[in-house]
Amino acid sequence: MTRLLVSVVDSAEARLALAHGADLIDAKDPDAGALGALPLASIRSIHASLPEGIVTSAVAGDDDDVERLARSALSVATTGVTFVKLGLGRAMARPAGVAALGRRLAGQGRFIAVLFADENPPLTLVAALHEAGFVGAMLDTSQKRGIRLPDLLTMDQLGSFVADCRQLGLMSGLAGSLRIEDIDRLAALNPDYLGFRGGLCLAGDRRGQLDPLAIGSAAYRLQAIRQSRQVDGEQAA
């Protein structure tokens, strides 16, 4: 069932997001780009501020240099978060780059690769990510200028990406300037997570404050979808 990922900048936002229905708390610096990494101390503070058992993630930035990206990811992995997210730029989003990164990270954490839909990544890269030891894959957008993920890829493309992840046992996520009104059609594809920042901020400003009412609305919508599917499944049985 699809769950709600909310990106936060500090422990206060983390507690706010959790209180209003977020399922995964994601530490990220929106002032530093699509996958801007927060300082390690901030990530540790966010993780420590949440009850035990809450799923957390933190971004390690994006880079086309294997060694720099690996060092950042391994540092973030020491903070205690459940998952570390790595942005794969154009040069890295290739089988050779993924393989090299996988060798560098092997056995040292639970890593999720983020592909930027506006950089035309090969969606067939999912198999290489699985082979390299990643536990998940997400689609996002690198340019936060109002162009949303559904503007860049068709529902068939997004559905194929999610299905390929599921077949290989990878966690899947869809993000990229999403709005609450995108939830129904994207949740129909059954990704593990839908990721939000700007769409849940006041005035839609990803660098501004999270809006608790918007978080609650997104969480309520996903919960209603899950409950509807559960009822349909019980009736079918």
Side-chain angles (χ1 to χ4, degrees):
M1 293 296 185
T2 303
R3 291 174 168 79
L4 178 64
L5 178 156
V6 178
S7 293
V8 305
V9 301
D10 55 32
S11 56
E13 282 197 346
R15 292 191 295 269
L16 175 73
L18 181 65
H20 288 84
D23 299 295
L24 191 160
I25 305 299
D26 176 58
K28 180 165 67 176
D29 182 0
D31 289 325
L35 283 190
L38 288 167
L40 296 181
S42 297
I43 298 172
R44 290 192 180 96
S45 176
I46 289 169
H47 181 70
S49 72
L50 298 169
E52 187 174 352
I54 298 301
V55 182
T56 56
S57 64
V59 303
D62 58 276
D63 206 312
D64 280 331
D65 182 88
V66 170
E67 188 57 33
R68 283 197 303 263
L69 188 55
R71 283 200 303 267
S72 179
L74 292 173
S75 295
V76 172
T78 68
T79 63
V81 292
T82 313
F83 302 109
V84 179
K85 293 164 56 185
L86 298 82
L88 306 188
R90 285 187 175 90
M92 286 294 299
R94 299 292 183 268
V98 167
L101 191 55
R103 288 192 295 270
R104 184 68 175 80
L105 300 175
Q108 300 181 77
R110 304 179 72 190
F111 301 101
I112 295 173
V114 180
L115 307 177
F116 296 120
D118 45 352
E119 296 184 354
N120 298 313
L123 300 186
T124 54
L125 199 63
V126 168
L129 292 170
H130 175 260
E131 182 74 17
F134 285 85
V135 301
M138 291 189 69
L139 288 172
D140 203 335
T141 55
S142 64
Q143 300 298 318
K144 303 301 182 181
R145 298 174 182 172
I147 298 177
R148 294 145 52 234
L149 182 68
D151 298 327
L152 296 164
L153 297 173
T154 68
M155 295 302 288
D156 285 344
Q157 288 174 309
L158 295 173
S160 294
F161 173 81
V162 170
D164 289 346
C165 287
R166 186 181 304 115
Q167 184 176 12
L168 291 168
L170 294 179
M171 188 186 79
S172 63
L174 302 177
S177 300
L178 300 183
R179 302 171 186 159
I180 292 176
E181 53 263 37
D182 294 317
I183 287 178
D184 282 42
R185 59 174 176 159
L186 293 181
L189 303 177
N190 289 319
D192 292 295
Y193 289 96
L194 292 180
F196 288 84
R197 173 68 193 179
L200 301 183
C201 285
L202 295 171
D205 180 3
R206 67 190 299 270
R207 298 183 180 184
Q209 296 179 328
L210 285 173
D211 180 355
L213 293 179
I215 299 170
S217 294
Y220 177 82
R221 186 65 215 134
L222 280 170
Q223 183 181 30
I225 291 170
R226 290 195 293 266
Q227 290 175 342
S228 176
R229 290 179 182 172
Q230 184 177 5
V231 169
D232 289 345
E234 292 173 351
Q235 292 175 345

Coordinates of all heavy atoms in Angstrom, one line a residue, residues 142-202:
S142 N 14.8 17.2 -10.9 CA 16.0 17.9 -10.4 C 15.7 19.4 -10.4 O 16.3 20.2 -9.6 CB 17.2 17.6 -11.3 OG 17.0 18.1 -12.6
Q143 N 14.9 19.9 -11.3 CA 14.5 21.3 -11.4 C 13.2 21.6 -10.7 O 12.2 21.1 -11.2 CB 14.5 21.8 -12.8 CG 15.8 21.6 -13.5 CD 17.0 22.4 -12.9 OE1 16.8 23.5 -12.5 NE2 18.1 21.8 -12.8
K144 N 13.2 22.3 -9.6 CA 11.9 22.6 -8.9 C 11.3 23.9 -9.4 O 11.4 24.9 -8.7 CB 12.2 22.6 -7.4 CG 12.9 21.3 -6.9 CD 12.0 20.1 -7.1 CE 12.6 18.9 -6.5 NZ 11.8 17.6 -6.8
R145 N 10.8 23.9 -10.6 CA 10.2 25.1 -11.2 C 8.8 24.9 -11.6 O 8.3 25.4 -12.6 CB 11.1 25.4 -12.4 CG 12.5 25.8 -12.1 CD 13.4 26.0 -13.3 NE 14.8 26.3 -13.0 CZ 15.7 26.4 -13.9 NH1 15.5 26.2 -15.2 NH2 17.0 26.7 -13.5
G146 N 8.1 24.0 -10.9 CA 6.7 23.8 -11.1 C 6.4 22.7 -12.1 O 5.2 22.4 -12.3
I147 N 7.4 22.1 -12.7 CA 7.2 21.0 -13.6 C 7.1 19.7 -12.8 O 8.1 19.4 -12.1 CB 8.3 20.9 -14.7 CG1 8.3 22.1 -15.5 CG2 8.1 19.6 -15.5 CD1 9.4 22.2 -16.6
R148 N 6.0 19.0 -12.8 CA 5.8 17.9 -11.9 C 6.1 16.6 -12.6 O 6.2 16.5 -13.9 CB 4.3 17.9 -11.5 CG 4.0 19.1 -10.6 CD 2.6 19.6 -10.8 NE 1.6 18.5 -10.7 CZ 0.6 18.3 -11.6 NH1 0.6 19.0 -12.7 NH2 -0.2 17.4 -11.4
L149 N 6.4 15.6 -11.8 CA 6.7 14.3 -12.4 C 5.7 13.8 -13.4 O 6.1 13.3 -14.5 CB 6.8 13.2 -11.2 CG 7.2 11.8 -11.6 CD1 8.6 11.8 -12.1 CD2 7.0 10.9 -10.5
P150 N 4.4 13.9 -13.2 CA 3.4 13.4 -14.2 C 3.5 14.3 -15.5 O 2.9 13.9 -16.5 CB 2.1 13.6 -13.5 CG 2.4 13.6 -12.1 CD 3.7 14.3 -12.0
D151 N 4.1 15.4 -15.5 CA 4.3 16.2 -16.7 C 5.4 15.7 -17.6 O 5.5 16.0 -18.8 CB 4.6 17.7 -16.4 CG 3.5 18.4 -15.6 OD1 2.3 18.0 -15.8 OD2 3.8 19.2 -14.7
L152 N 6.3 14.9 -17.0 CA 7.5 14.4 -17.6 C 7.4 13.0 -18.1 O 8.0 12.6 -19.2 CB 8.7 14.6 -16.7 CG 9.0 16.0 -16.3 CD1 10.0 16.0 -15.1 CD2 9.7 16.7 -17.5
L153 N 6.7 12.2 -17.4 CA 6.5 10.8 -17.8 C 5.1 10.4 -17.8 O 4.3 10.9 -17.0 CB 7.3 9.9 -16.8 CG 8.8 10.1 -16.7 CD1 9.4 9.3 -15.5 CD2 9.5 9.7 -18.0
T154 N 4.7 9.5 -18.7 CA 3.3 9.0 -18.8 C 3.0 8.1 -17.7 O 3.9 7.5 -17.0 CB 3.1 8.3 -20.1 OG1 3.9 7.1 -20.1 CG2 3.6 9.2 -21.3
M155 N 1.7 7.9 -17.5 CA 1.3 6.9 -16.4 C 1.8 5.5 -16.8 O 2.1 4.8 -15.8 CB -0.2 7.0 -16.3 CG -0.8 8.3 -15.8 SD -0.1 8.8 -14.2 CE -0.9 7.6 -13.1
D156 N 1.9 5.2 -18.0 CA 2.4 3.9 -18.4 C 3.9 3.7 -18.0 O 4.3 2.7 -17.5 CB 2.2 3.6 -19.9 CG 0.8 3.3 -20.3 OD1 0.0 3.0 -19.4 OD2 0.5 3.4 -21.5
Q157 N 4.6 4.8 -18.3 CA 6.1 4.8 -17.9 C 6.2 4.7 -16.4 O 7.1 3.9 -15.9 CB 6.8 6.0 -18.4 CG 7.0 6.0 -19.9 CD 7.5 7.4 -20.4 OE1 7.0 8.4 -20.1 NE2 8.6 7.3 -21.2
L158 N 5.5 5.4 -15.7 CA 5.5 5.4 -14.2 C 5.1 4.0 -13.7 O 5.7 3.5 -12.8 CB 4.7 6.5 -13.6 CG 5.1 7.9 -13.9 CD1 4.1 8.9 -13.4 CD2 6.5 8.2 -13.3
G159 N 4.0 3.5 -14.3 CA 3.6 2.2 -13.8 C 4.6 1.1 -14.1 O 4.7 0.2 -13.3
S160 N 5.2 1.2 -15.2 CA 6.3 0.2 -15.6 C 7.4 0.2 -14.6 O 8.0 -0.8 -14.2 CB 6.8 0.4 -17.0 OG 5.7 0.1 -17.9
F161 N 7.8 1.5 -14.2 CA 8.9 1.7 -13.3 C 8.5 1.0 -11.9 O 9.3 0.3 -11.3 CB 9.2 3.1 -13.1 CG 10.2 3.5 -12.0 CD1 11.5 3.4 -12.2 CD2 9.7 3.9 -10.7 CE1 12.4 3.7 -11.2 CE2 10.6 4.2 -9.7 CZ 12.0 4.1 -9.9
V162 N 7.3 1.3 -11.4 CA 6.9 0.7 -10.1 C 6.8 -0.8 -10.2 O 7.3 -1.5 -9.3 CB 5.5 1.3 -9.7 CG1 5.0 0.6 -8.5 CG2 5.7 2.8 -9.4
A163 N 6.3 -1.3 -11.3 CA 6.1 -2.7 -11.5 C 7.5 -3.4 -11.5 O 7.7 -4.5 -11.0 CB 5.3 -3.0 -12.7
D164 N 8.4 -2.8 -12.2 CA 9.8 -3.4 -12.3 C 10.4 -3.5 -10.9 O 11.1 -4.4 -10.6 CB 10.7 -2.6 -13.3 CG 10.3 -2.8 -14.7 OD1 9.5 -3.7 -15.0 OD2 10.7 -2.0 -15.6
C165 N 10.3 -2.4 -10.2 CA 10.8 -2.4 -8.8 C 10.2 -3.5 -8.0 O 10.9 -4.2 -7.3 CB 10.5 -1.0 -8.1 SG 11.5 0.4 -8.7
R166 N 8.9 -3.6 -8.1 CA 8.2 -4.6 -7.3 C 8.6 -6.0 -7.6 O 8.8 -6.9 -6.8 CB 6.6 -4.5 -7.5 CG 5.8 -5.4 -6.6 CD 4.3 -5.3 -6.8 NE 3.9 -3.9 -6.7 CZ 3.4 -3.1 -7.6 NH1 3.4 -3.6 -8.9 NH2 3.1 -1.9 -7.4
Q167 N 8.8 -6.3 -8.9 CA 9.2 -7.6 -9.4 C 10.6 -8.0 -8.9 O 10.8 -9.1 -8.6 CB 9.2 -7.6 -10.9 CG 9.5 -9.0 -11.5 CD 9.4 -9.0 -13.0 OE1 9.3 -8.0 -13.6 NE2 9.4 -10.2 -13.6
L168 N 11.4 -7.0 -8.7 CA 12.8 -7.2 -8.2 C 12.9 -7.1 -6.7 O 14.0 -7.3 -6.2 CB 13.8 -6.3 -8.9 CG 14.0 -6.5 -10.4 CD1 14.7 -5.3 -11.1 CD2 14.7 -7.8 -10.7
G169 N 11.9 -6.8 -6.0 CA 11.9 -6.6 -4.6 C 12.5 -5.3 -4.1 O 12.9 -5.2 -2.9
L170 N 12.5 -4.3 -5.0 CA 12.9 -3.0 -4.6 C 11.8 -2.1 -4.1 O 10.7 -2.2 -4.6 CB 13.6 -2.3 -5.7 CG 14.9 -2.9 -6.3 CD1 15.4 -2.0 -7.5 CD2 16.0 -2.9 -5.3
M171 N 12.0 -1.4 -3.0 CA 11.1 -0.3 -2.6 C 11.0 0.7 -3.7 O 12.0 1.1 -4.3 CB 11.5 0.3 -1.3 CG 10.5 1.2 -0.7 SD 11.2 2.1 0.7 CE 12.1 3.4 -0.1
S172 N 9.8 1.2 -4.0 CA 9.6 2.2 -5.1 C 9.0 3.5 -4.5 O 8.2 3.5 -3.6 CB 8.8 1.7 -6.2 OG 7.5 1.4 -5.7
G173 N 9.4 4.6 -5.1 CA 8.9 5.9 -4.7 C 8.7 6.8 -5.9 O 9.5 6.8 -6.8
L174 N 7.7 7.7 -5.8 CA 7.5 8.7 -6.8 C 7.4 10.1 -6.1 O 6.7 10.2 -5.1 CB 6.2 8.4 -7.6 CG 6.0 7.1 -8.3 CD1 4.6 7.0 -8.9 CD2 7.1 6.9 -9.3
A175 N 8.2 11.0 -6.7 CA 8.2 12.4 -6.1 C 8.5 13.3 -7.3 O 8.6 12.9 -8.4 CB 9.3 12.5 -5.0
G176 N 8.5 14.6 -7.0 CA 8.8 15.6 -8.0 C 7.7 16.6 -8.1 O 6.9 16.5 -9.0
S177 N 7.7 17.6 -7.2 CA 6.8 18.7 -7.2 C 5.3 18.2 -7.3 O 4.5 18.8 -7.9 CB 7.0 19.6 -8.5 OG 8.3 20.2 -8.4
L178 N 5.1 17.1 -6.6 CA 3.7 16.6 -6.6 C 2.8 17.4 -5.7 O 3.2 18.1 -4.8 CB 3.7 15.2 -6.0 CG 4.6 14.1 -6.7 CD1 4.4 12.8 -6.0 CD2 4.2 14.0 -8.1
R179 N 1.5 17.4 -6.1 CA 0.5 18.1 -5.4 C -0.5 17.0 -4.8 O -0.6 15.9 -5.3 CB -0.3 19.0 -6.3 CG 0.6 20.1 -7.0 CD -0.2 20.9 -8.0 NE 0.7 21.8 -8.8 CZ 0.4 22.3 -9.9 NH1 -0.7 21.9 -10.6 NH2 1.2 23.1 -10.6
I180 N -1.3 17.5 -3.9 CA -2.3 16.5 -3.3 C -3.2 15.9 -4.4 O -3.6 14.8 -4.3 CB -3.1 17.3 -2.2 CG1 -2.2 17.6 -1.0 CG2 -4.3 16.4 -1.7 CD1 -2.9 18.4 0.1
E181 N -3.6 16.7 -5.4 CA -4.5 16.2 -6.4 C -3.8 15.1 -7.3 O -4.5 14.5 -8.1 CB -5.0 17.4 -7.3 CG -3.9 18.2 -7.9 CD -3.7 19.5 -7.1 OE1 -3.7 19.5 -5.8 OE2 -3.4 20.6 -7.7
D182 N -2.5 14.9 -7.2 CA -1.9 13.9 -7.9 C -2.0 12.5 -7.2 O -1.7 11.5 -7.8 CB -0.4 14.2 -8.1 CG -0.1 15.4 -8.9 OD1 -0.8 15.5 -10.0 OD2 0.8 16.2 -8.6
I183 N -2.4 12.5 -5.9 CA -2.3 11.3 -5.1 C -3.2 10.2 -5.7 O -2.7 9.0 -5.8 CB -2.8 11.6 -3.7 CG1 -1.7 12.4 -3.0 CG2 -3.1 10.3 -2.9 CD1 -2.0 12.8 -1.5
D184 N -4.4 10.4 -6.1 CA -5.3 9.3 -6.5 C -4.7 8.6 -7.7 O -4.6 7.3 -7.7 CB -6.7 9.9 -6.9 CG -7.5 10.1 -5.6 OD1 -6.9 10.7 -4.7 OD2 -8.7 9.8 -5.6
R185 N -4.3 9.3 -8.8 CA -3.8 8.6 -9.9 C -2.5 7.9 -9.7 O -2.2 6.9 -10.3 CB -3.8 9.5 -11.2 CG -3.0 10.7 -11.1 CD -3.0 11.4 -12.4 NE -2.3 12.7 -12.4 CZ -1.8 13.3 -13.5 NH1 -2.0 12.7 -14.7 NH2 -1.1 14.4 -13.4
L186 N -1.6 8.5 -8.9 CA -0.3 7.9 -8.7 C -0.4 6.8 -7.7 O 0.3 5.8 -7.9 CB 0.7 9.0 -8.2 CG 1.1 10.1 -9.2 CD1 2.1 11.0 -8.6 CD2 1.7 9.5 -10.5
A187 N -1.2 6.9 -6.7 CA -1.4 5.8 -5.8 C -2.0 4.5 -6.5 O -1.8 3.4 -6.1 CB -2.3 6.2 -4.6
A188 N -2.7 4.8 -7.6 CA -3.3 3.6 -8.3 C -2.2 2.8 -8.9 O -2.4 1.6 -9.3 CB -4.2 4.2 -9.4
L189 N -1.0 3.3 -9.0 CA 0.2 2.5 -9.6 C 0.8 1.7 -8.5 O 1.7 0.9 -8.8 CB 1.2 3.5 -10.2 CG 0.7 4.4 -11.3 CD1 1.8 5.4 -11.7 CD2 0.1 3.6 -12.5
N190 N 0.4 1.9 -7.2 CA 0.9 1.1 -6.1 C 2.4 1.3 -5.8 O 3.1 0.3 -5.5 CB 0.6 -0.4 -6.3 CG -0.8 -0.7 -6.1 OD1 -1.5 -0.1 -5.2 ND2 -1.4 -1.5 -6.9
P191 N 3.0 2.5 -5.9 CA 4.3 2.7 -5.4 C 4.3 2.5 -3.9 O 3.3 2.7 -3.2 CB 4.7 4.1 -5.8 CG 3.4 4.8 -5.8 CD 2.4 3.8 -6.3
D192 N 5.5 2.3 -3.3 CA 5.5 2.2 -1.8 C 5.4 3.5 -1.2 O 4.8 3.6 -0.1 CB 6.9 1.5 -1.4 CG 6.9 0.1 -1.8 OD1 6.1 -0.7 -1.3 OD2 7.8 -0.3 -2.7
Y193 N 5.9 4.6 -1.8 CA 5.8 5.9 -1.2 C 5.5 6.9 -2.3 O 6.0 6.8 -3.4 CB 7.1 6.3 -0.5 CG 7.3 5.5 0.8 CD1 8.1 4.4 0.8 CD2 6.7 5.9 2.0 CE1 8.3 3.7 2.0 CE2 6.9 5.2 3.1 CZ 7.7 4.1 3.1 OH 7.9 3.4 4.3
L194 N 4.8 8.0 -1.9 CA 4.7 9.2 -2.7 C 5.4 10.3 -1.8 O 5.1 10.4 -0.6 CB 3.2 9.6 -2.9 CG 2.4 8.7 -3.9 CD1 1.0 9.2 -4.0 CD2 3.1 8.6 -5.2
G195 N 6.4 11.0 -2.5 CA 7.2 11.9 -1.7 C 6.8 13.4 -2.0 O 6.5 13.8 -3.1
F196 N 6.7 14.1 -0.9 CA 6.3 15.5 -0.9 C 7.2 16.5 -0.1 O 7.7 16.1 0.9 CB 4.8 15.7 -0.3 CG 3.7 15.1 -1.2 CD1 3.4 13.8 -1.1 CD2 3.0 15.9 -2.0 CE1 2.4 13.2 -1.9 CE2 2.0 15.4 -2.8 CZ 1.7 14.0 -2.7
R197 N 7.3 17.7 -0.6 CA 7.8 18.8 0.1 C 7.0 20.0 -0.3 O 6.1 20.4 0.5 CB 9.3 19.0 -0.2 CG 9.9 20.3 0.5 CD 9.9 20.3 2.0 NE 10.2 21.6 2.6 CZ 10.2 21.8 3.9 NH1 10.1 20.8 4.7 NH2 10.4 23.1 4.3
G198 N 7.3 20.6 -1.4 CA 6.6 21.9 -1.8 C 5.1 21.8 -1.8 O 4.4 22.7 -1.4
G199 N 4.6 20.7 -2.3 CA 3.1 20.5 -2.3 C 2.4 20.5 -1.0 O 1.2 20.6 -0.9
L200 N 3.2 20.4 0.1 CA 2.7 20.4 1.5 C 3.2 21.6 2.3 O 3.1 21.6 3.5 CB 3.0 19.1 2.2 CG 2.6 17.8 1.5 CD1 2.9 16.6 2.4 CD2 1.1 17.8 1.2
C201 N 3.8 22.5 1.6 CA 4.2 23.7 2.3 C 3.2 24.9 2.1 O 2.5 24.9 1.1 CB 5.6 24.2 1.7 SG 7.0 23.1 2.3
L202 N 3.3 25.9 2.9 CA 2.5 27.1 2.8 C 2.8 27.7 1.5 O 4.0 27.9 1.1 CB 2.7 28.0 4.0 CG 2.3 27.5 5.3 CD1 2.8 28.4 6.4 CD2 0.8 27.3 5.5

